[in-house]
Amino acid sequence: STASWYFDSDPSTVDVPSGQNDFYSVALHELGHVLGIGTSISWNNLVNGSDQFTGAASMALNGGNPVPLQAGGHWADGTQSTLPGTGTLQEVAMDPSLTTGTRKYFTDLDYAGLDDLGWDVTPVPEPAQYALVAGLSLLGFALYRRRSLRNL
């Protein structure tokens, strides 16, 4: 109740004011738990002892080694992975901490964890890329329509 929350009205931006907790990042993290990361029987079946995750896709991203865990069904605090389709490192969305003033996205390791649980996952482009695709689609339709009208 004392936290300062940031609710971004424009999802294509990634700037979170310093000193504020990013609601998007927290909601994304909690959705990961809803989908089974740290909470499902499938997850628990892949936990070795209490501190290592042995899912094949996750281990492949960790050099073939089990991925360290932290209590509560999270990747170990400070675990880093790349953002899908990039070489950009980011702290994973499913570790137990959130740095105020920052935004987290699902990383390759977060998606691998979902894959290990049986979800058919395909990382999607960030919102700004959706706008580009939508804009190009509209441009293509407009050109097609203009050409069609000329032929009448």
Side-chain angles (χ1 to χ4, degrees):
S1 65
T2 60
S4 177
W5 290 98
Y6 177 64
F7 297 91
D8 196 347
S9 60
D10 181 1
S12 67
T13 63
V14 296
D15 298 327
V16 177
S18 63
Q20 291 193 313
N21 295 296
D22 184 41
F23 183 79
Y24 175 92
S25 300
V26 173
L28 184 70
H29 174 96
E30 295 307 324
L31 285 171
H33 286 311
V34 168
L35 294 172
I37 294 179
T39 59
S40 68
I41 293 171
S42 300
W43 174 272
N44 292 334
N45 288 339
L46 295 170
V47 173
N48 181 5
S50 64
D51 62 351
Q52 294 183 328
F53 187 73
T54 61
S58 299
M59 285 179 47
L61 288 174
N62 196 40
N65 300 309
V67 180
L69 297 175
Q70 188 147 337
H74 297 96
W75 304 126
D77 195 21
T79 300
Q80 302 248 328
S81 182
T82 52
L83 293 173
T86 74
T88 305
L89 277 177
Q90 174 200 278
E91 188 174 60
V92 293
M94 294 308 298
D95 82 344
S97 65
L98 175 67
T99 304
T100 58
T102 63
R103 173 158 296 168
K104 286 186 179 182
Y105 295 100
F106 256 39
T107 65
D108 288 326
L109 182 59
D110 297 309
Y111 281 113
L114 291 175
D115 185 29
D116 288 329
L117 296 180
W119 291 102
D120 185 14
V121 294
T122 304
V124 295
E126 294 179 25
Q129 291 171 320
Y130 281 122
L132 177 62
V133 170
L136 290 174
S137 298
L138 287 173
L139 176 62
F141 176 76
L143 291 173
Y144 170 79
R145 184 76 177 136
R146 182 176 177 199
R147 190 169 148 201
S148 297
L149 290 174
R150 279 189 187 178
N151 293 334
L152 290 177

